[in-house]
Amino acid sequence: MTDDKPHIMLVEDESHLARGICFNLEEEGLRVSHFETAEGALATLEIEHFDLVILDVMLPGMDGFQACRAIRILDPRVPILMLTSRSEDSDRVEGLENGADDYLTKPFNLVEFLLRVKGMLRRSSWYRPEPVEEGYRFGDNEVFLLSYRARTAQGEIDLTEMEVRVLGLFFQKEGRPIHRTELLQSVWGYSSDTETRTLDNFIVRLRKYFEPNPSHPKHFQTVRAVGYRFSRDGN
Ligand code: CA
């Protein structure tokens, strides 16, 4: 019998917290494999596929940031949710810079945690796969959403699941401002009243990949008091 439940990797050294997380995710019909160290998790990632990685920052041995970079080499696409123990902004930014797709600061609310996990597991349904993939071109870039890769001025890069979702939404709504609430809801599955810097840090990442001058963006534009707008030609 095949088990098609989404498979989640949890890397967390605090056993009581890990037990609680496993119990609640399993109650939601998900399959969880728990690892106490990043080293153990990475060894398993070499041979097994996961649908989501939940990664604690403070771990014995290799920490969550190092682990995140190593996971991205093994699996460039898998969504990664980091659990940060400090509320400092630098921790969140560092996680997102190392390839994570979202973060939650401990202690977190269980309902919020489950919403976040479900949002990240949800497959993108708003872009239609084409039989033969034609790249989406803008500036010096060409993006292949179906194969999760892009050609940029800096070379070829692999895209994560969450990056593909954000880019898909931007391309679909090219030239139109998109409210940050809509981006957070359709890409991350956030409830509308959540305050987060995830989106802004994510845009910083996209600008680094695709903009000739990331501090003066042409393509991924900020729309004050609204959110962001994608422009193909920089107008
Ligand atoms: Ca820990």
Side-chain angles (χ1 to χ4, degrees), residues 20-35:
I21 290 177
C22 287
F23 174 80
N24 282 287
L25 292 177
E26 281 160 5
E27 286 283 290
E28 297 290 322
L30 304 166
R31 190 154 66 100
V32 192
S33 296
H34 171 225
F35 300 84

Side-chain angles (χ1 to χ4, degrees), residues 8-11 21 25 52-56 81 83 113 117:
I8 296 177
M9 166 177 272
L10 170 66
V11 191
I21 290 177
L25 292 177
L52 173 70
V53 176
I54 301 169
L55 181 60
D56 188 28
L81 174 63
L83 305 179
F113 170 76
V117 165

Side-chain angles (χ1 to χ4, degrees), residues 12-14 56-60 85 106:
E12 170 61 80
D13 60 316
E14 290 159 57
D56 188 28
V57 169
M58 304 286 277
L59 293 166
S85 42
K106 289 181 182 176

Side-chain angles (χ1 to χ4, degrees), residues 17 26 34 90 103 119 127 134 142 155 168 172 186 189 229 231:
L17 180 59
E26 281 160 5
H34 171 225
S90 60
Y103 63 86
Y127 73 85
E134 209 175 297
E142 188 169 12
Q172 190 187 51
S186 41
R229 173 181 178 269
S231 166

